Amino acid sequence: RGLVSSAGRAREDSWLKSLFVRKVDPRKDAHSNLLAKKETSSLYKLQIHNVKPECLEAYNKLCQEVLPKIHEEKHYPCALVGTWNTWYGEQDQAVHLWRYEGGYPALNEVMNKLRQNKEFTEFRKERGNMLLSRKNQLLLEFSFWNEPVPREGPNIYELRSYQLRPGTMIEWGNYWARAIRFRQDNNEAVGGFFSQIGQLYMVHHLWAYKDLQTREDIRNAAWHKPGWDELVYYTVPLIQEMESRIMIPLKISPLQ
């Protein structure tokens, strides 16, 4: 019993130390410069719309008519990465992910042009009547994650969102730069992002699976890989809140 008690105290001490000891050296630079991809200047926008339950079908139809025109029109320096309805998680919810090639100048260019687009103005007005609430975030992608590219389906998608403790983003990035290698075998890693505007210290991981059972099998298999448990052990104390959405892509989504 003494050995067990001693081992338990050692684990507890190690866990407590992980809460307070930083594993990275102080840097006089923004975490966006340390963690984001250097070879690209893409900016991402994540839109989350809570739709009136009776309007979801009409909302989806409207989006499928209008969003591809923006995505395909070279006049706009942006691309629709994916568009989904939440299946498990908050219900009657739509999630859209856009990429702006060229960062903030591209975002401003698109917004200015869309204000002059009468069809889009009418779309926003009609869409607004269908919504209970909406929010968005501007994101950068982690340098060590895959860049999200179109993929064939059918797939389900999981958006795992983490609210980190302020000041822990660099530490999170350092751990996940190693952790991501444990989750590449089945091509499930789609993209990883961190917020710049909107709710801050937010991280989003986007995964693709064939179905819920495949998701369960892949996630369980990670625990049998040496090192995965340690990385989870050290990243969990960095999290204040976390949320998982299981999502189904709309027909127009490049991520199927």
Side-chain angles (χ1 to χ4, degrees), residues 2 34 84 105 139 157 161-162 168-169 184 190 193 231 248:
L34 300 176
W84 305 267
L139 315 170
Y157 288 81
S161 301
Y162 303 88
T168 61
M169 185 67 75
Q184 299 280 15
V190 178
F193 312 91
L231 290 166
I248 304 295

Side-chain angles (χ1 to χ4, degrees), residues 66 70 114-115 117-125:
V66 176
I70 301 171
L114 287 177
R115 289 190 190 101
N117 184 323
K118 291 183 179 180
E119 182 181 13
F120 183 76
T121 301
E122 290 301 316
F123 160 73
R124 288 198 64 182
K125 186 183 300 183

Side-chain angles (χ1 to χ4, degrees), residues 76-232:
Y76 302 111
C78 66
L80 182 64
V81 177
T83 178
W84 305 267
N85 285 155
T86 300
W87 184 24
Y88 288 103
E90 194 163 350
Q91 297 294 283
D92 303 306
Q93 191 174 76
V95 178
H96 310 289
L97 182 63
W98 292 87
R99 178 170 52 236
Y100 297 85
E101 304 289 352
Y104 291 106
L107 173 68
N108 289 336
E109 181 181 345
V110 172
M111 295 299 101
N112 289 333
K113 289 179 177 177
L114 287 177
R115 289 190 190 101
Q116 302 171 29
N117 184 323
K118 291 183 179 180
E119 182 181 13
F120 183 76
T121 301
E122 290 301 316
F123 160 73
R124 288 198 64 182
K125 186 183 300 183
E126 187 174 354
R127 184 189 67 182
N129 293 328
M130 301 177 183
L131 300 182
L132 293 170
S133 65
R134 60 193 180 102
K135 67 177 180 179
N136 58 32
Q137 289 180 324
L138 295 181
L139 315 170
L140 296 176
E141 55 185 331
F142 283 109
S143 60
F144 47 84
W145 267 78
N146 302 337
E147 182 168 350
V149 295
R151 66 171 65 197
E152 296 181 354
N155 294 294
I156 62 170
Y157 288 81
E158 181 175 18
L159 182 65
R160 295 180 70 87
S161 301
Y162 303 88
Q163 177 68 61
L164 301 187
R165 299 182 183 278
T168 61
M169 185 67 75
I170 298 295
E171 191 172 356
W172 176 274
N174 281 357
Y175 282 125
W176 264 96
R178 288 178 283 156
I180 192 64
R181 72 178 187 269
F182 294 103
R183 299 295 308 277
Q184 299 280 15
D185 293 348
N186 298 281
N187 196 33
E188 71 267 28
V190 178
F193 312 91
F194 59 99
S195 62
Q196 287 290 281
I197 295 178
Q199 192 169 353
L200 299 178
Y201 283 96
M202 282 289 295
V203 169
H204 302 282
H205 292 174
L206 184 61
W207 308 91
Y209 304 100
K210 290 301 178 186
D211 50 44
L212 288 173
Q213 185 59 55
T214 301
R215 170 188 176 272
E216 182 76 0
D217 294 342
I218 290 175
R219 288 177 55 81
N220 286 339
W223 289 98
H224 297 287
K225 299 177 181 179
W228 172 256
D229 57 343
E230 180 182 359
L231 290 166
V232 172

